Amino acid sequence: MEIKRIIGGSLMSNCYIIYQKSGGSCFVIDPGYSPKQYSDFVKEKELFCKGIILTHLHSDHTGGAEALAKCLSCPVMMHEDDYFVYKGLVDIKLKDGDSLDLDGERLEILHTPGHTKGGICIYSDKSKVAFTGDTIFDTDLGRTDLSGGSEDELKRSIRQVIDKWGNDVMIYPGHDMNANMKFVRKHNQEFIDIVSGKDREQIEYQEEYNWNIRLK
Ligand SMILES: [Fe+2]
């Protein structure tokens, strides 16, 4: 699988365009901002977009989806539990265990609530990659204090889904850099705390702190 990362907006959100080769099919994951930056790449590589997959409902991951879907004439997909915000925009409601085909490679939809109710990861066992949205980053986890967030659900998602991945699985998060699970197990303290049965330390959000930075 080829993976193109395009960083957008002041929140530095990661959009990923995944494909096998030029002239083949692609999926666009989380086009949060101006659609042109994503459509230019799709056109340059002469890709056929099979769909836009939204990992969760926050606007820094979804903001460019409607315009990009029109531009590329493709469906928008997201988990059924986050769909309520985007009635009329989302064409395909996803659920845990669904799979999508990327030119012979199976992409598995894994429901990982916690950051939002309908958060998902997109996993490929063939390439050993997972697109994790704002569920887990390289060195920390997604926040759970926004609408629909739940620390208990995030703990379940971490223990029952993400901690099942081997050290060779590379995570591609919604912000920050990609990292393999070996790195995560060594350097992501919030992850380490949760899998070892502790509560992670809750972050104090200061008034003067720009909360947007922590929208992830
Ligand atoms: Fe988010």
Side-chain angles (χ1 to χ4, degrees):
M1 180 195 294
E2 301 287 337
I3 300 168
K4 171 69 177 177
R5 178 168 78 129
I6 298 174
I7 303 168
S10 58
L11 297 177
M12 309 277 287
S13 303
N14 291 327
C15 166
Y16 300 102
I17 299 171
I18 58 174
Y19 61 104
Q20 305 291 3
K21 60 175 195 253
S22 295
S25 304
C26 75
F27 286 97
V28 180
I29 300 170
D30 286 356
Y33 292 88
S34 165
K36 188 172 184 312
Q37 58 194 322
Y38 318 119
S39 63
D40 280 354
F41 182 82
V42 170
K43 286 172 186 167
E44 178 197 320
K45 295 287 182 184
E46 300 180 330
L47 298 168
F48 167 71
C49 185
K50 294 182 79 173
I52 295 167
I53 312 171
L54 305 176
T55 60
H56 66 291
L57 55 72
H58 290 150
S59 61
D60 55 320
H61 300 264
T62 62
E66 186 171 14
L68 186 65
K70 278 200 185 112
C71 174
L72 300 177
S73 301
C74 67
V76 179
M77 315 171 180
M78 82 186 308
H79 192 272
E80 55 191 2
D81 291 349
D82 273 3
Y83 157 79
F84 64 95
V85 177
Y86 295 104
K87 282 178 189 164
L89 163 64
V90 171
D91 305 292
I92 298 172
K93 286 189 267 183
L94 299 170
K95 59 184 188 312
D96 188 59
D98 281 354
S99 61
L100 301 167
D101 173 67
L102 180 62
D103 289 348
E105 179 165 352
R106 181 169 176 260
L107 306 175
E108 194 178 347
I109 303 300
L110 304 173
H111 186 207
T112 52
H115 178 65
T116 65
K117 278 191 188 312
I120 56 168
C121 294
I122 303 142
Y123 176 73
S124 166
D125 194 53
K126 184 179 178 194
S127 294
K128 300 292 181 196
V129 297
F131 301 90
T132 58
D134 287 2
T135 299
I136 181 168
F137 310 103
D138 52 354
T139 57
D140 56 0
L141 304 178
R143 60 188 290 182
T144 55
D145 61 332
L146 296 171
S147 175
S150 160
E151 191 69 13
D152 285 344
E153 286 190 328
L154 188 76
K155 280 185 202 165
R156 254 197 310 278
S157 296
I158 294 299
R159 290 171 183 155
Q160 294 177 7
V161 180
I162 290 164
D163 195 34
K164 305 289 184 212
W165 298 337
N167 281 341
D168 56 344
V169 170
M170 182 73 78
I171 65 163
Y172 287 85
H175 304 266
D176 305 333
M177 292 302 295
N178 54 300
N180 63 28
M181 287 300 294
K182 185 176 181 184
F183 178 96
V184 168
R185 290 190 167 98
K186 194 165 179 192
H187 298 288
N188 189 326
Q189 192 58 48
E190 294 182 350
F191 175 86
I192 294 164
D193 285 348
I194 284 179
V195 296
S196 54
K198 296 182 215 153
D199 289 332
R200 65 169 164 159
E201 242 176 70
Q202 291 295 294
I203 298 153
E204 297 284 336
Y205 296 102
Q206 299 162 6
E207 279 291 317
E208 65 273 21
Y209 193 71
N210 179 358
W211 68 273
N212 273 331
I213 292 170
R214 289 293 309 183
L215 190 60
K216 73 179 196 178

